[in-house]
Amino acid sequence: MSVYTVKQMAKLSGVSVRALHHYDAIGLLKPRAVGANGYRYYDRQDLLRLQQILFHRALETPLKDIQAALDDPDFDLAAALRAQRSRLAAEAERYARLVTVVDRTLANLEGDETMDDKMLFEGFDPKKQAEHEAWLVERYGDEAAQRIADAKAGMKTWGKKDWSHFQEEAKAIEHDLAKALKQGLPVDSDPVTAIMRRHWAWVGRSWNREPTPDAFKGLGHLYQENPEFTARYEAIAPGLTEYLAEAMRVFAERR
């Protein structure tokens, strides 16, 4: 039976050593053994568990729910794989439709194909968007409903460049904050404060109005409570959800 060190496990799976240490610390993936030298050792069963973690993450399952599922005495690996295959196949079909929309849109822009306005949005999932909005309204009430309405009203005027800049800034904020987390910077440090200032402006752009400090803190709590947000940030860097929420709290309280 093959045995792997944490570095070998990281190289084999593509998961960082830092993430494997985090999974060990929270009990999600404990090494099979720890040597007298402090080295962690993993075997094939650990590989299969890590594969399950990655499949669940690809399907946006929160880490705490992944651990509960894998530690369930009735967990059946083969059944889990069959269910994951079904869901991933459905996602693959959806992404294939989106790729087709991209190709047809490019062809239309280049003058090679005529495309009506409705076809621009084939492949997107309005039902999922509606579910997100319903969750927000149920959790936060009329205030959330008003913010959603304000955001939609503001975004109606956006052009392609507005959307592109908005999405690029979100990715840049997430990248810079993950880097700060990996560097061990305190959430009240000047570099993190500068990132939060950008995030504050980005949220205001999204909401079509400047957030209040309480609303900004509340958004941080939302990131922690909503499984899809948690899955998104944890996929970028383990611990990023908590780090972001705390940075938002500290920044808001200083406003």
Side-chain angles (χ1 to χ4, degrees):
M1 178 183 294
S2 298
V3 176
Y4 304 91
T5 65
V6 69
K7 287 185 178 180
Q8 291 170 332
M9 188 81 151
K11 184 177 180 180
L12 181 67
S13 65
V15 176
S16 70
V17 170
R18 180 185 177 90
L20 290 172
H21 286 173
H22 178 66
Y23 293 164
D24 181 8
I26 65 175
L28 181 59
L29 178 63
K30 305 291 289 184
R32 192 64 42 181
V34 178
N37 55 6
Y39 284 12
R40 296 168 171 84
Y41 294 101
Y42 300 86
D43 63 12
R44 183 172 176 77
Q45 288 302 113
D46 300 321
L47 288 177
L48 289 170
R49 185 176 174 99
L50 179 58
Q51 185 194 59
Q52 274 297 297
I53 293 169
L54 296 181
F55 277 138
H56 277 290
R57 282 181 56 188
L59 293 167
E60 300 185 346
T61 307
L63 290 181
K64 61 182 178 62
D65 292 343
I66 296 174
Q67 185 166 352
L70 298 184
D71 290 342
D72 188 327
D74 295 326
F75 175 75
D76 183 325
L77 178 59
L81 286 167
R82 282 191 288 269
Q84 288 157 354
R85 187 191 187 287
S86 177
R87 289 185 60 190
L88 289 168
E91 283 293 289
E93 182 179 348
R94 184 171 73 87
Y95 279 115
R97 291 198 302 271
L98 290 174
V99 169
T100 299
V101 173
V102 169
D103 289 342
R104 293 173 70 179
T105 304
L106 285 172
N108 175 254
L109 293 175
E110 293 165 1
D112 296 331
E113 180 178 334
T114 301
M115 187 177 194
D116 67 42
D117 291 344
K118 184 176 180 181
M119 291 165 66
L120 290 169
F121 302 99
E122 289 180 358
F124 292 97
D125 190 349
K127 181 180 178 183
K128 191 166 188 177
Q129 177 62 27
E131 288 173 354
H132 290 168
E133 293 176 6
W135 185 91
L136 288 169
V137 173
E138 181 180 357
R139 177 66 180 80
Y140 294 99
D142 292 340
E143 185 179 1
Q146 184 58 53
R147 283 191 188 146
I148 291 169
D150 289 343
K152 286 183 175 180
M155 289 177 179
K156 281 183 179 179
T157 65
W158 287 16
K160 185 169 66 174
K161 288 184 178 179
D162 296 311
W163 279 106
S164 177
H165 180 268
F166 182 73
Q167 293 168 342
E168 287 172 3
E169 176 63 0
K171 291 180 181 178
I173 290 169
E174 293 165 354
H175 173 271
D176 292 347
L177 194 64
K179 184 177 178 181
L181 170 62
K182 291 175 182 176
Q183 292 174 339
L185 297 181
V187 294
D188 59 354
S189 64
D190 289 343
V192 175
T193 299
I195 297 170
M196 285 301 100
R197 193 172 295 114
R198 290 161 52 200
H199 189 45
W200 175 278
W202 182 86
V203 170
R205 178 75 170 128
S206 172
W207 289 358
N208 199 28
R209 62 176 179 177
E210 185 177 22
T212 64
D214 283 346
F216 195 64
K217 282 196 297 184
L219 181 60
H221 290 311
L222 184 153
Y223 292 157
Q224 293 174 294
E225 293 176 2
N226 186 282
E228 293 196 25
F229 279 115
T230 301
R232 173 185 176 83
Y233 292 124
E234 293 305 306
I236 296 170
L240 184 59
T241 314
E242 296 291 334
Y243 189 71
L244 170 58
E246 182 63 10
M248 292 174 71
R249 181 190 68 78
V250 170
F251 183 83
E253 290 179 353
R254 289 179 167 184
R255 295 291 293 184

Short mmCIF file of all heavy atoms in Angstrom, two decimals, residues 55 57-60 83-99 123-125 128 228:
data_model
loop_
_atom_site.label_atom_id
_atom_site.label_comp_id
_atom_site.label_asym_id
_atom_site.label_seq_id
_atom_site.Cartn_x
_atom_site.Cartn_y
_atom_site.Cartn_z
N PHE A 55 -14.83 16.78 -4.83
CA PHE A 55 -16.09 16.68 -5.57
C PHE A 55 -17.17 17.54 -4.89
O PHE A 55 -17.91 18.27 -5.56
CB PHE A 55 -16.57 15.22 -5.64
CG PHE A 55 -15.94 14.41 -6.74
CD1 PHE A 55 -15.53 13.10 -6.51
CD2 PHE A 55 -15.75 14.94 -8.00
CE1 PHE A 55 -14.95 12.35 -7.52
CE2 PHE A 55 -15.18 14.20 -9.02
CZ PHE A 55 -14.76 12.90 -8.77
N ARG A 57 -16.71 20.13 -2.97
CA ARG A 57 -16.38 21.54 -3.16
C ARG A 57 -16.75 22.02 -4.56
O ARG A 57 -17.24 23.13 -4.74
CB ARG A 57 -14.89 21.78 -2.91
CG ARG A 57 -14.51 21.83 -1.44
CD ARG A 57 -13.03 22.09 -1.25
NE ARG A 57 -12.59 23.30 -1.93
CZ ARG A 57 -11.33 23.66 -2.05
NH1 ARG A 57 -10.37 22.91 -1.52
NH2 ARG A 57 -10.99 24.77 -2.67
N ALA A 58 -16.53 21.15 -5.55
CA ALA A 58 -16.91 21.50 -6.92
C ALA A 58 -18.41 21.72 -7.04
O ALA A 58 -18.87 22.51 -7.87
CB ALA A 58 -16.46 20.41 -7.88
N LEU A 59 -19.17 21.05 -6.17
CA LEU A 59 -20.62 21.18 -6.15
C LEU A 59 -21.08 22.20 -5.12
O LEU A 59 -22.26 22.26 -4.76
CB LEU A 59 -21.27 19.82 -5.88
CG LEU A 59 -21.06 18.80 -7.01
CD1 LEU A 59 -21.43 17.39 -6.56
CD2 LEU A 59 -21.85 19.18 -8.25
N GLU A 60 -20.12 23.00 -4.60
CA GLU A 60 -20.39 24.13 -3.70
C GLU A 60 -20.99 23.70 -2.37
O GLU A 60 -21.83 24.40 -1.79
CB GLU A 60 -21.30 25.16 -4.40
CG GLU A 60 -20.69 25.74 -5.67
CD GLU A 60 -21.54 26.83 -6.29
OE1 GLU A 60 -22.72 26.97 -5.90
OE2 GLU A 60 -21.02 27.54 -7.15
N ALA A 83 -24.18 9.72 -7.32
CA ALA A 83 -24.97 10.94 -7.18
C ALA A 83 -24.18 12.14 -7.69
O ALA A 83 -24.73 13.03 -8.37
CB ALA A 83 -25.37 11.15 -5.72
N GLN A 84 -22.89 12.18 -7.38
CA GLN A 84 -22.05 13.29 -7.83
C GLN A 84 -21.91 13.28 -9.35
O GLN A 84 -21.91 14.33 -9.99
CB GLN A 84 -20.68 13.22 -7.16
CG GLN A 84 -20.74 13.60 -5.69
CD GLN A 84 -19.58 13.03 -4.88
OE1 GLN A 84 -18.78 12.25 -5.38
NE2 GLN A 84 -19.51 13.43 -3.62
N ARG A 85 -21.80 12.07 -9.91
CA ARG A 85 -21.69 11.99 -11.37
C ARG A 85 -22.93 12.58 -12.04
O ARG A 85 -22.84 13.30 -13.04
CB ARG A 85 -21.52 10.53 -11.81
CG ARG A 85 -21.24 10.41 -13.30
CD ARG A 85 -21.31 8.98 -13.82
NE ARG A 85 -20.88 8.93 -15.20
CZ ARG A 85 -21.59 9.38 -16.24
NH1 ARG A 85 -22.78 9.92 -16.03
NH2 ARG A 85 -21.10 9.30 -17.48
N SER A 86 -24.09 12.27 -11.48
CA SER A 86 -25.33 12.78 -12.04
C SER A 86 -25.38 14.30 -11.99
O SER A 86 -25.73 14.97 -12.97
CB SER A 86 -26.52 12.19 -11.27
OG SER A 86 -27.74 12.70 -11.74
N ARG A 87 -25.00 14.87 -10.84
CA ARG A 87 -25.03 16.32 -10.69
C ARG A 87 -23.99 17.00 -11.58
O ARG A 87 -24.25 18.03 -12.19
CB ARG A 87 -24.80 16.72 -9.22
CG ARG A 87 -25.97 16.38 -8.30
CD ARG A 87 -25.73 16.90 -6.90
NE ARG A 87 -25.57 18.34 -6.88
CZ ARG A 87 -25.17 19.02 -5.81
NH1 ARG A 87 -24.87 18.38 -4.69
NH2 ARG A 87 -25.06 20.35 -5.86
N LEU A 88 -22.79 16.42 -11.64
CA LEU A 88 -21.74 17.00 -12.46
C LEU A 88 -22.09 16.92 -13.94
O LEU A 88 -21.77 17.85 -14.71
CB LEU A 88 -20.40 16.30 -12.19
CG LEU A 88 -19.78 16.58 -10.81
CD1 LEU A 88 -18.63 15.62 -10.53
CD2 LEU A 88 -19.29 18.03 -10.73
N ALA A 89 -22.73 15.83 -14.35
CA ALA A 89 -23.15 15.70 -15.74
C ALA A 89 -24.16 16.79 -16.10
O ALA A 89 -24.11 17.37 -17.19
CB ALA A 89 -23.74 14.31 -16.00
N ALA A 90 -25.07 17.07 -15.16
CA ALA A 90 -26.06 18.13 -15.39
C ALA A 90 -25.36 19.48 -15.50
O ALA A 90 -25.71 20.31 -16.34
CB ALA A 90 -27.09 18.14 -14.26
N GLU A 91 -24.37 19.72 -14.62
CA GLU A 91 -23.61 20.97 -14.68
C GLU A 91 -22.83 21.07 -15.98
O GLU A 91 -22.73 22.15 -16.58
CB GLU A 91 -22.66 21.07 -13.48
CG GLU A 91 -23.34 21.45 -12.18
CD GLU A 91 -23.89 22.87 -12.23
OE1 GLU A 91 -23.11 23.83 -12.23
OE2 GLU A 91 -25.13 23.02 -12.29
N ALA A 92 -22.24 19.94 -16.41
CA ALA A 92 -21.47 19.94 -17.66
C ALA A 92 -22.38 20.31 -18.84
O ALA A 92 -21.97 21.06 -19.74
CB ALA A 92 -20.84 18.57 -17.88
N GLU A 93 -23.61 19.78 -18.81
CA GLU A 93 -24.56 20.10 -19.88
C GLU A 93 -24.90 21.59 -19.87
O GLU A 93 -24.98 22.24 -20.92
CB GLU A 93 -25.83 19.27 -19.70
CG GLU A 93 -26.86 19.49 -20.80
CD GLU A 93 -28.10 18.64 -20.60
OE1 GLU A 93 -28.07 17.72 -19.76
OE2 GLU A 93 -29.10 18.92 -21.28
N ARG A 94 -25.07 22.14 -18.65
CA ARG A 94 -25.38 23.57 -18.54
C ARG A 94 -24.23 24.41 -19.05
O ARG A 94 -24.41 25.38 -19.79
CB ARG A 94 -25.70 23.93 -17.08
CG ARG A 94 -26.14 25.38 -16.90
CD ARG A 94 -26.64 25.63 -15.50
NE ARG A 94 -25.56 25.65 -14.54
CZ ARG A 94 -24.85 26.76 -14.24
NH1 ARG A 94 -25.11 27.90 -14.86
NH2 ARG A 94 -23.90 26.71 -13.33
N TYR A 95 -22.99 24.04 -18.66
CA TYR A 95 -21.83 24.81 -19.13
C TYR A 95 -21.65 24.68 -20.64
O TYR A 95 -21.21 25.62 -21.30
CB TYR A 95 -20.57 24.37 -18.39
CG TYR A 95 -20.42 25.00 -17.02
CD1 TYR A 95 -20.46 24.22 -15.87
CD2 TYR A 95 -20.24 26.37 -16.90
CE1 TYR A 95 -20.34 24.81 -14.62
CE2 TYR A 95 -20.12 26.96 -15.65
CZ TYR A 95 -20.17 26.18 -14.51
OH TYR A 95 -20.05 26.76 -13.28
N ALA A 96 -21.98 23.51 -21.17
CA ALA A 96 -21.90 23.33 -22.63
C ALA A 96 -22.85 24.30 -23.33
O ALA A 96 -22.51 24.88 -24.38
CB ALA A 96 -22.22 21.89 -23.00
N ARG A 97 -24.04 24.50 -22.75
CA ARG A 97 -24.98 25.45 -23.34
C ARG A 97 -24.43 26.87 -23.27
O ARG A 97 -24.57 27.66 -24.20
CB ARG A 97 -26.33 25.38 -22.60
CG ARG A 97 -27.11 24.10 -22.83
CD ARG A 97 -28.58 24.25 -22.48
NE ARG A 97 -28.78 24.67 -21.09
CZ ARG A 97 -28.90 23.83 -20.07
NH1 ARG A 97 -28.83 22.52 -20.28
NH2 ARG A 97 -29.10 24.26 -18.85
N LEU A 98 -23.77 27.19 -22.13
CA LEU A 98 -23.19 28.53 -21.98
C LEU A 98 -22.06 28.75 -22.97
O LEU A 98 -21.91 29.85 -23.52
CB LEU A 98 -22.68 28.72 -20.54
CG LEU A 98 -23.76 28.82 -19.46
CD1 LEU A 98 -23.12 28.85 -18.07
CD2 LEU A 98 -24.62 30.06 -19.66
N VAL A 99 -21.25 27.71 -23.21
CA VAL A 99 -20.18 27.82 -24.21
C VAL A 99 -20.77 28.11 -25.58
O VAL A 99 -20.25 28.93 -26.35
CB VAL A 99 -19.32 26.55 -24.23
CG1 VAL A 99 -18.38 26.55 -25.44
CG2 VAL A 99 -18.50 26.42 -22.95
N GLY A 123 -29.13 29.43 -21.34
CA GLY A 123 -28.13 28.71 -20.55
C GLY A 123 -27.98 29.25 -19.14
O GLY A 123 -27.47 28.56 -18.26
N PHE A 124 -28.42 30.50 -18.89
CA PHE A 124 -28.37 31.02 -17.53
C PHE A 124 -29.57 30.48 -16.75
O PHE A 124 -30.57 30.08 -17.32
CB PHE A 124 -28.35 32.55 -17.54
CG PHE A 124 -27.08 33.12 -18.11
CD1 PHE A 124 -27.01 33.51 -19.43
CD2 PHE A 124 -25.95 33.22 -17.32
CE1 PHE A 124 -25.84 34.02 -19.96
CE2 PHE A 124 -24.77 33.72 -17.84
CZ PHE A 124 -24.71 34.13 -19.16
N ASP A 125 -29.47 30.50 -15.43
CA ASP A 125 -30.47 29.85 -14.60
C ASP A 125 -31.23 30.88 -13.77
O ASP A 125 -30.82 31.20 -12.65
CB ASP A 125 -29.78 28.83 -13.68
CG ASP A 125 -30.78 27.93 -12.96
OD1 ASP A 125 -31.99 28.24 -13.01
OD2 ASP A 125 -30.36 26.95 -12.33
N LYS A 128 -32.27 29.70 -10.20
CA LYS A 128 -31.27 29.76 -9.14
C LYS A 128 -31.13 31.18 -8.59
O LYS A 128 -31.00 31.38 -7.39
CB LYS A 128 -29.92 29.25 -9.66
CG LYS A 128 -28.89 29.03 -8.57
CD LYS A 128 -27.73 28.22 -9.09
CE LYS A 128 -26.80 27.83 -7.93
NZ LYS A 128 -25.68 26.98 -8.37
N GLU A 228 -23.48 28.87 -0.28
CA GLU A 228 -22.85 29.13 -1.57
C GLU A 228 -21.72 30.15 -1.46
O GLU A 228 -20.69 30.02 -2.09
CB GLU A 228 -23.90 29.56 -2.59
CG GLU A 228 -24.88 28.44 -2.92
CD GLU A 228 -25.67 28.72 -4.18
OE1 GLU A 228 -25.19 29.47 -5.04
OE2 GLU A 228 -26.79 28.19 -4.29
#
